[in-house]
C-alpha cells in the first residue's frame, strides 16, 4: 500500500485525539464522530496483524508542523505515535521537505493498493466524496504521480530526523 498525504497524518497512523481533531469541522453528531473514530482506529490493526502489508507513506512536512486547533499536547502525542509506527518493520515513512516548494502532490492525497490478485486500485478524496479507481490507465496515471511525489521525499533516515525534530518542537 502506498499513501501520499499533503494535509493530515493518514488514518492508519492517527491517534484517537488527532482523528477526532480531523473531524472537528464536519457537521457530525458526537455519536457519528465516535463511530468514525472507532472505525478508523480498528482499521489500524491491519499494520500489526500476522502478515501485515508493506505500507509506504509520504507526507508533506507541513503535516508535521500544522497545529491542531492550538493543542500542542495533541500534536506531540500524534508525532510521537507516528515515530512509533515508523519503527514497525512493514511501515516506511518519508517526508517531502517544505524546501521542495510546489510539486505534483499538491493536487491532493492519494492511496494505491495492490489487491490479492496482484491488481492495483487507487483511492482519492475530494471535498465532496471519495473515489475508488481500478481502470488500469487511470491507476497508471496515479502511479506515475506517486513516483513523482516519492522522488521529492527524503530518504527514510532523513525523514525520521525531520519527524523527530517536529516532535521536539511540540513539547
Amino acid at each position: 500500500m502506498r499513501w501520499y498525504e499533503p494535509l493530515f497524518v493518514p488514518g492508519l497512523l492517527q491517534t484517537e485525539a488527532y482523528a477526532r481533531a480531523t473531524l472537528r469541522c464536519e457537521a457530525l453528531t458526537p455519536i457519528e464522530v465516535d463511530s468514525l473514530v472507532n472505525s478508523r482506529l480498528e482499521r489500524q490493526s491491519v499494520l500489526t496483524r500476522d502478515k501485515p502489508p508493506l505500507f509506504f507513506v509520504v507526507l508533506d512536512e507541513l503535516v508535521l508542523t500544522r497545529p491542531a486547533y492550538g493543542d500542542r499536547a495533541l500534536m506531540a502525542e500524534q508525532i510521537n505515535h507516528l515515530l512509533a509506527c515508523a519503527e514497525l518493520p512493514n511501515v516506511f515513512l518519508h517526508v517531502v521537505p517544505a524546501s521542495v516548494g510546489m510539486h505534483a502532490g499538491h493536487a491532493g492525497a492519494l492511496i494505491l493498493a495492490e489487491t490479492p490478485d496482484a491488481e492495483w486500485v487507487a483511492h482519492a478524496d475530494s471535498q465532496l466524496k471519495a473515489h475508488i479507481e481500478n481502470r488500469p490507465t487511470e491507476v497508471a496515471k496515479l502511479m506515475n504521480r506517486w513516483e513523482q511525489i516519492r522522488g521529492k521525499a527524503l530518504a527514510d533516515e532523513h525523514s525520521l530526523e525531520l519527524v523527530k525534530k517536529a516532535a521536539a518542537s511540540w513539547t
Side-chain angles (χ1 to χ4, degrees):
M1 189 169 11
R2 291 157 174 78
W3 190 329
Y4 167 68
E5 185 58 65
L7 302 173
F8 297 107
V9 171
L12 288 178
L13 304 176
Q14 291 178 358
T15 63
E16 180 178 349
Y18 187 91
R20 288 183 183 285
T22 67
L23 298 170
R24 184 172 166 183
C25 65
E26 301 294 332
L28 300 168
T29 67
I31 292 171
E32 290 170 321
V33 170
D34 287 346
S35 177
L36 289 168
V37 169
N38 289 335
S39 294
R40 191 173 293 180
L41 296 175
E42 287 171 13
R43 284 192 297 271
Q44 293 176 358
S45 66
V46 71
L47 296 177
T48 56
R49 67 184 185 199
D50 285 341
K51 291 186 178 182
L54 293 177
F55 186 42
F56 298 90
V57 179
V58 177
L59 304 174
D60 261 22
E61 183 178 359
L62 184 57
V63 172
L64 306 172
T65 59
R66 176 183 288 118
Y69 304 105
D71 192 335
R72 297 184 68 76
L74 181 153
M75 286 305 297
E77 176 190 39
Q78 176 57 64
I79 302 303
N80 284 313
H81 178 71
L82 191 60
L83 284 167
C85 291
E87 291 179 5
L88 294 170
N90 55 309
V91 176
F92 303 88
L93 177 64
H94 300 274
V95 178
V96 177
S99 62
V100 165
M102 211 175 261
H103 62 87
H106 289 166
L110 67 93
I111 302 170
L112 297 160
E114 188 175 15
T115 69
D117 300 329
E119 294 182 34
W120 285 89
V121 294
H123 175 274
D125 280 329
S126 74
Q127 290 283 343
L128 297 175
K129 65 178 183 172
H131 176 72
I132 304 291
E133 180 62 66
N134 64 356
R135 292 177 293 174
T137 55
E138 299 304 305
V139 172
K141 288 177 188 175
L142 291 174
M143 286 283 225
N144 287 334
R145 178 67 52 106
W146 164 264
E147 291 301 327
Q148 291 173 23
I149 298 164
R150 174 62 191 97
K152 298 293 184 185
L154 298 170
D156 49 3
E157 64 273 4
H158 298 294
S159 291
L160 289 178
E161 287 174 21
L162 195 55
V163 177
K164 288 174 185 174
K165 181 179 173 185
S169 76
W170 289 111
T171 56

